Amino acid sequence: MNRKWCIALGISLVTGLASADSAGEDDSLMRRLTRQFENSDIEFQRAASNIPFLPVAFLGASYYGDADVDTNRRGAKDISYDVTAVSQAAGMPFLLTERDALIVGEYVSIADIDIETTNTDSFTVATLGLPVGWLRQIDPDWQSVAFVMPMGHRDDRDGSEWTWQYMGGAFARYVQHDRLWWAFGFYADVGPGDDFYIPYVGASWSINERWTVSAMMPWPAILYAPDKNWLLRLGASPSGASWSFNPQGSGDTTVNLDAWDFGLSAERRLAKDLWLSVEAGVGGFRGLRLSGTDVDAPDLDVSTAPYAEIALRFRPSLQF
């Protein structure tokens, strides 16, 4: 796997979905799926809003500037690193019954981690993910959602092998009224490092057609859409530059989801369902956890650093 393959796959999926959906063919797969969901009992949004639907496919490239890691350990050398990454993902929903849907997807990422230190070489990490989810509309006010996502990571250092990480959760969504809904649940992240389990609560408030406040972790944000063709987002999201790895190359590379980016993004509709997104901000809570004889430190102090991202997103136009 290489970066060119990841970019080619992402472009073919995202633009392919957009071209198929905008071709005006009544028998296209995306149009059939859209009509099925529009005619089902499943509800995603009640209030009128300019905010577009969630992306079901994307292709993005990001860069994180130099961050300094203070190991806070006597005899361990501090580290500076930057990250350049290309990521692609897509999901396909299938309506099983009038109230049940299955979502099957894929995720691919190639990240170059450039480490500026004398005893640790730079390396590239390839990541593959296979998310599977299930959604049920219990009644007009309640939904239940569950998902699992095994992820495999492998870097290009000698002796490295595939490392597996497993994410999953179960959640419920309650619609208090047309403009306010709540989410409750439980999330787990199991991998070679520390396992992570946490209860979950979130909310989304559609103030009017233009403004929405989302307290949905791990993507809290303020959204502003002045019309149907523009979307501005100010908020946080999991960092794309947060990793655990072993400098000696034992193959235990994993993704950390306890680091955050804070930034502003602007999206513009290019075609019916194809959007272009540009984002910039600060990676303020980035963790590069290290293990090995030279840098074995559970407590790391990582400096803030700027980041930038550009992405193509496919957002289906659902009308309810």
Side-chain angles (χ1 to χ4, degrees):
M1 180 186 299
N2 56 47
R3 189 181 301 276
K4 292 182 179 179
W5 180 86
C6 182
I7 295 174
L9 176 62
I11 292 176
S12 63
L13 282 171
V14 177
T15 58
L17 285 171
S19 61
D21 192 51
S22 61
E25 301 179 0
D26 290 339
D27 59 347
S28 68
L29 175 60
M30 289 307 300
R31 288 310 308 160
R32 291 201 308 270
L33 289 173
T34 300
R35 288 198 305 269
Q36 289 174 4
F37 276 90
E38 290 174 347
N39 296 326
S40 72
D41 294 333
I42 297 177
E43 295 186 6
F44 294 104
Q45 182 174 295
R46 294 181 181 178
S49 175
N50 293 336
I51 306 298
F53 192 72
L54 295 174
V56 299
F58 78 87
L59 168 66
S62 59
Y63 172 76
Y64 291 80
D66 288 339
D68 297 321
V69 181
D70 183 0
T71 60
N72 296 321
R73 181 92 172 233
R74 179 176 298 178
K77 296 183 178 180
D78 295 343
I79 291 175
S80 178
Y81 73 102
D82 61 61
V83 178
T84 304
V86 174
S87 301
Q88 177 275 322
M92 187 67 71
F94 299 96
L95 196 64
L96 303 180
T97 71
E98 291 300 310
R99 294 189 174 188
D100 295 274
L102 176 70
I103 301 96
V104 180
E106 53 78 29
Y107 172 80
V108 180
S109 175
I110 307 292
D112 291 331
I113 301 177
D114 185 14
I115 301 177
E116 299 177 7
T117 185
T118 57
N119 62 340
T120 303
D121 295 331
S122 301
F123 60 95
T124 299
V125 179
T127 297
L128 299 176
L130 297 173
V132 178
W134 168 76
L135 182 149
R136 178 171 177 78
Q137 188 78 40
I138 300 172
D139 60 34
D141 295 330
W142 284 93
Q143 283 179 345
S144 61
V145 179
F147 85 97
V148 293
M149 182 177 178
M151 296 180 69
H153 313 279
R154 189 177 189 277
D155 60 60
D156 61 355
R157 295 168 297 158
D158 293 338
S160 293
E161 300 177 353
W162 283 98
T163 301
W164 290 97
Q165 183 175 3
Y166 303 91
M167 305 176 187
F171 311 91
R173 186 177 82 129
Y174 170 66
V175 180
Q176 184 172 337
H177 55 74
D178 288 356
R179 294 193 175 275
L180 176 64
W181 54 265
W182 300 84
F184 317 90
F186 184 81
Y187 171 79
D189 179 0
V190 178
D194 296 333
D195 297 339
F196 184 65
Y197 308 93
I198 188 172
Y200 183 92
V201 62
S204 180
W205 177 27
S206 180
I207 301 173
N208 52 42
E209 291 187 0
R210 296 180 176 86
W211 291 93
T212 293
V213 177
S214 175
M216 298 299 298
M217 300 296 289
W219 306 279
I222 298 174
L223 306 172
Y224 174 66
D227 54 40
K228 294 291 186 178
N229 297 314
W230 282 97
L231 173 63
L232 300 178
R233 177 188 181 275
L234 177 66
S237 59
S239 177
S242 181
W243 295 86
S244 293
F245 72 97
N246 189 303
Q248 277 65 47
S250 63
D252 59 352
T253 303
T254 56
V255 172
N256 296 330
L257 295 182
D258 55 357
W260 298 84
D261 297 333
F262 183 81
L264 174 66
S265 67
E267 286 193 48
R268 167 70 179 178
R269 187 195 300 269
L270 299 180
K272 181 180 179 182
D273 296 328
L274 184 64
W275 293 69
L276 175 65
S277 170
V278 178
E279 180 175 346
V282 176
F285 303 93
R286 299 164 58 189
L288 186 69
R289 299 176 182 171
L290 311 177
S291 62
T293 57
D294 294 326
V295 279
D296 183 10
D299 184 18
L300 302 178
D301 182 12
V302 186
S303 67
T304 61
Y307 75 92
E309 180 184 69
I310 185 170
L312 287 173
R313 307 184 193 275
F314 180 78
R315 295 177 177 268
S317 301
L318 295 180
Q319 302 295 328
F320 296 98

